[in-house]
Amino acid sequence: MTAGPDLDAPVLVIYTGGTLGMVPGPRGLTPGHDIEARLRRALATLPPARQASLPAFEVLETDRPIDSSSATPRDWQALAALVARHYRRHAGIVILHGTDTLAWTASSLAFQLQGIDRPVILTGAMRPLEAEGSDAIANVADALRFAVTARLKEVALCFAGQLLRGCRTRKWQTQDAAAFESPNLTPLGERVDDEVVLYPGRGLADHQRGAPRFELPDYAPLAAGGVVRLALWPGIEAWQVEAWLGDERVKGAVLEVWGGGNVPDDPSLTGALARASGEGKLLAALSQCPHGAVAFGGYAAGQGLEDAGVLSAEDMTPEAAFAKLVHLLAQPLEESERRRRFLTPLVGER
């Protein structure tokens, strides 16, 4: 048994970049620095009661703050290693991250930090910290307060007053402050008036027990395109699928199919999928519909996927399915074990 978090310990805030910390530059907004002083100045503008509700925190700034659109699986790996190195000395972790790929990073961290025994909260903002009317201050304040919620023991995303499971989220708006949704899972909690509320029975801690069982494999071999994402379109041809899946550098693919799991009635297309699957490539299908799940066999048009060895991603998000494929393919597992683990809920992702 490992000791749980010391709730009197400070929260660790890790700054990775993103709009929240950006400053004006000659060609537009660019990642800024000196984030700790800027954060403390911004939080000092909150009403006294709100300030008093905030836990103590320390700030760790990554060496190279980036725009999250430049993030890669290597960055996911480095961030998970950073959390693993520091989490024991802190009540919880808050990660400040750009919004464009926030859901992708949250999904990857969930798989790498399986069994985490304290909150890891990702947040960001649609407008920079010092911008007039910025959502950054409220998002950071909410994240800090959720980060000392003892019953929360997983990777979550806090944005616009809602707390969502990290591996169930998607960015849904390009400009609206309520930028994220969790299409197939209700929120874990939210801000109600001036309180942050964690709903009972929804968190992983209510269903899973045991010490952290982190998996921190080397993502570098997959970072250069080892997993691809391919959405079907009307008129897609087998040669186009083979152009992607036939490349020996590709080890896995997320296939975005229609409805509940349908593909064109084209034997050459399903044959291309079967060949890739037969070569040991891990193929997973999810629906292009954001709500609901893939279920093979509901229509004859979908039976070909199962026959071709494609795995059902059920109601996973594309971000979670992609991150899970990277995570499984990075480990020295037998193909049958990779397939079993993909079909098994590991962190509440399906």
Side-chain angles (χ1 to χ4, degrees):
M1 290 290 290
T2 59
D6 176 3
L7 296 182
D8 292 326
V11 171
L12 178 63
V13 177
I14 300 175
Y15 172 62
T16 68
T19 297
L20 181 147
M22 286 189 172
V23 294
R27 300 181 63 186
L29 292 172
T30 60
H33 294 274
D34 195 25
I35 194 66
E36 180 169 4
R38 295 167 60 201
L39 270 179
R40 294 191 186 280
R41 282 196 300 269
L43 292 170
T45 66
L46 291 170
R50 292 279 305 279
Q51 290 185 51
S53 71
L54 299 178
F57 66 90
E58 300 172 354
V59 177
L60 176 61
E61 190 169 334
T62 56
D63 294 336
R64 185 178 57 90
I66 61 170
D67 185 313
S68 75
S69 60
S70 299
T72 72
R74 289 188 182 91
D75 295 300
W76 303 342
Q77 178 184 347
L79 188 53
L82 199 59
V83 173
R85 191 156 60 244
H86 291 280
Y87 82 101
R88 290 185 184 87
R89 298 192 296 274
H90 300 277
I93 308 290
V94 170
I95 298 171
L96 307 181
H97 193 286
T99 61
D100 282 345
T101 61
L102 183 53
W104 298 78
T105 298
S107 293
S108 179
L109 290 182
F111 295 118
Q112 294 183 78
L113 302 174
Q114 291 178 51
I116 185 79
D117 62 357
R118 63 204 72 196
V120 176
I121 313 292
L122 290 94
T123 192
M126 300 302 286
R127 304 187 68 186
L129 191 60
E130 291 88 358
E132 184 178 354
S134 174
D135 56 332
I137 300 174
N139 286 347
V140 172
D142 290 345
L144 285 169
R145 295 168 76 190
F146 274 120
V148 289
T149 305
R151 282 198 305 114
L152 183 63
K153 300 179 181 181
E154 61 181 288
V155 177
L157 189 154
C158 182
F159 217 90
Q162 288 200 313
L163 186 75
L164 310 173
R165 175 160 295 153
C167 57
R168 286 284 197 155
T169 56
R170 304 197 69 188
K171 187 176 181 184
W172 215 247
Q173 300 283 348
T174 61
Q175 296 180 323
D176 196 304
F180 289 85
E181 287 196 11
S182 179
N184 293 311
L185 190 74
T186 52
L188 303 178
E190 63 184 321
R191 176 173 18 93
V192 180
D193 297 325
D194 280 338
E195 299 296 326
V196 293
V197 177
L198 192 65
Y199 294 121
R202 298 186 185 179
L204 290 181
D206 296 307
H207 307 285
Q208 298 182 6
R209 295 290 184 271
R213 52 189 186 281
F214 294 174
E215 294 179 355
L216 303 170
D218 183 10
Y219 284 180
L222 281 303
V227 177
V228 299
R229 180 179 175 185
L230 180 60
L232 302 190
W233 63 87
I236 188 171
E237 296 285 344
W239 68 266
Q240 294 169 311
V241 172
E242 289 178 329
W244 283 92
L245 301 185
D247 193 307
E248 64 181 13
R249 293 170 293 183
V250 172
K251 307 301 180 185
V254 176
L255 306 174
E256 298 187 24
V257 301
W258 292 307
N262 297 327
V263 294
D265 183 15
D266 179 358
S268 63
L269 180 62
T270 51
L273 298 176
R275 281 191 293 278
S277 183
E279 293 169 358
K281 299 185 179 186
L282 207 58
L283 311 183
L286 51 79
S287 178
Q288 294 183 20
C289 302
H291 294 269
V294 159
F296 296 160
Y299 291 85
Q303 190 60 48
L305 287 172
E306 190 168 21
D307 294 342
V310 177
L311 300 170
S312 170
E314 292 185 349
D315 61 351
M316 292 173 68
T317 65
E319 296 86 346
F322 186 97
K324 191 171 185 179
L325 289 182
V326 169
H327 186 69
L328 294 176
L329 287 163
Q331 298 180 67
L333 301 171
E334 296 290 336
E335 181 186 350
S336 60
E337 179 62 9
R338 284 199 184 102
R339 295 174 67 86
R340 186 193 71 80
R341 290 195 193 186
F342 186 85
L343 295 170
T344 301
L346 301 179
V347 287
E349 76 281 6
R350 57 185 293 153

